[in-house]
Amino acid sequence: MTPPEFKAAIDIGTNSMHLVVARLADHGGFEMLTSEKEMVRLGAGGGEMKALAPDAIERSLVTLARMKQVAGSFGDVEIAAVATSAVREARNRDEFLVPARDEIGVPVEVISGFEEARLIHLGVLQALPVFDRRLLVIDIGGGSTEFCVGKGEQVIEARSMKLGAIRLTQRFFTGLTDTGHDGSVSRKTVKECRKYVRSALAPVAHELGGHQPEVTVGSSGTASTLAAMALARRGEKVRQMNGTTFTADELREVVDELTSRTTEERLDLGGLDAKRVDIIVAGALLLDEIFRAFSIEEMTISDYALREGVLFDRFGGDA
């Protein structure tokens, strides 16, 4: 039998679900056809992400079914789906995995933090001209953050940490998810969050920092949003995020703005995705502490991340 011409990858994250659909090209690589993102908040609901909430499971299953339909609209398609932190940690993960497989027809592979970091690194290599340079790739998700040091296709070291924008929001900034709260945050809470993150990051920064990466890459929605906000402060319009850079000083200015405003005032800030307004404070503080821990002066944004890494890894496309 001839293998399907079309390939799709679905990344089921703690905050968002991503789809990418591609056609096998004559040269052996992929022609990207479409991509979609839906904020499903699978990891929302508290409880340190030990259980998936019923409404979050339902939202995610509906979105998974729709993404399967989108992928299938191109023709005969082969789909690889992976799930990360929220599903990885949940005791009741089968309440999502079983209907995904049996009712929707999409078997979902739950991948480890190390495998997630490896695949993100592979995705980044397809997006940026950095194959011959030593990279530090950082991906802040809703429930975890992945760090990968690599050069070419070699992963030198990788780590996954239980630090994410949703997880930190649920721990320190629950008021931001309450519609009856104005969204302001106290200096004391910001300080407590920073202290917690700094303590967690210290051993990882010590272990990975010695590799002296030449380029630091951010591949998550959190990093892209903060980059867009930095560009807006410069008065620049965001045309394409891939390859965009922003500095540590610009990030700190954005963090200062985010932590000194109410939710309504944050929504007036240029570059901020309104759907992230409740978790961007925690995400910004986390990225700022990562910059400090690793002495990062500049970050480059990659449009490609886990889903593209899955596509190239599982279906063998050439860069």
Side-chain angles (χ1 to χ4, degrees), residues 7 22-32 122-123 125-127 131 153 304 308-319:
K7 309 292 183 183
R23 175 194 283 121
L24 287 168
D26 293 338
H27 58 74
F30 289 114
E31 176 192 352
M32 298 298 184
L122 180 59
L125 292 179
Q126 321 307 320
F131 194 84
E153 292 187 356
Y304 285 7
E308 288 83 10
V310 170
L311 190 75
F312 281 85
D313 187 73
R314 302 299 193 258
F315 301 124
D318 297 327

Side-chain angles (χ1 to χ4, degrees), residues 11 45 63 81 92 99 121 142 150 158 162 181 188 192 209 216 235 252 260 269 283 297 312 317 319:
D11 156 20
T63 300
N92 64 337
H121 175 253
K162 292 182 180 181
H181 191 280
K188 180 173 182 273
E192 288 171 352
T216 301
R252 278 156 206 164
S260 62
L269 295 173
E297 290 300 324
F312 281 85

Side-chain angles (χ1 to χ4, degrees), residues 41-243:
R41 295 285 170 95
L42 183 55
E48 272 298 297
M49 301 193 182
K50 296 302 182 187
L52 304 174
D55 59 334
I57 292 172
E58 181 60 29
R59 280 195 306 274
S60 300
L61 289 171
V62 168
T63 300
L64 182 63
R66 185 181 64 78
M67 287 187 170
K68 180 190 176 185
Q69 188 175 30
V70 170
S73 69
F74 288 92
D76 189 17
V77 64
E78 188 175 1
I79 299 174
V82 300
T84 58
S85 178
V87 179
R88 187 161 63 224
E89 295 181 41
R91 291 188 296 262
N92 64 337
R93 70 186 70 132
D94 284 348
E95 292 177 24
F96 172 75
L97 296 173
V98 171
R101 181 193 65 208
D102 295 348
E103 298 170 23
I104 299 173
V106 178
V108 177
E109 178 187 359
V110 182
I111 58 175
S112 69
F114 181 91
E115 176 70 351
E116 184 179 352
R118 183 186 74 83
L119 291 169
I120 291 166
H121 175 253
L122 180 59
V124 166
L125 292 179
Q126 321 307 320
L128 299 171
V130 291
F131 194 84
D132 59 344
R133 306 183 74 184
R134 189 183 297 262
L135 304 180
L136 170 61
V137 178
I138 299 165
D139 189 287
I140 296 175
S144 67
T145 296
E146 276 62 49
F147 300 87
C148 184
V149 177
K151 185 171 183 179
E153 292 187 356
Q154 180 191 5
V155 173
I156 299 169
E157 281 200 69
R159 297 285 188 278
S160 178
M161 300 195 67
K162 292 182 180 181
L163 292 170
I166 290 179
R167 194 189 294 270
L168 287 173
T169 298
Q170 291 177 172
R171 187 180 183 104
F172 293 99
F173 304 108
T174 52
L176 296 179
T177 60
D178 181 357
T179 54
H181 191 280
D182 71 356
S184 57
V185 296
S186 70
R187 290 184 181 180
K188 180 173 182 273
T189 307
V190 168
K191 187 175 180 180
E192 288 171 352
C193 179
R194 283 189 179 278
K195 183 179 178 182
Y196 175 81
V197 171
R198 197 174 300 142
S199 175
L201 285 174
V204 176
H206 177 73
E207 292 163 7
L208 301 187
H211 291 293
Q212 298 181 320
E214 300 168 74
V215 182
T216 301
V217 177
S219 58
S220 64
T222 293
S224 294
T225 297
L226 294 168
M229 294 181 73
L231 263 62
R233 284 180 55 83
R234 294 182 210 161
E236 297 180 21
K237 290 185 178 180
V238 181
R239 292 183 174 83
Q240 180 180 329
M241 289 309 301
N242 196 59

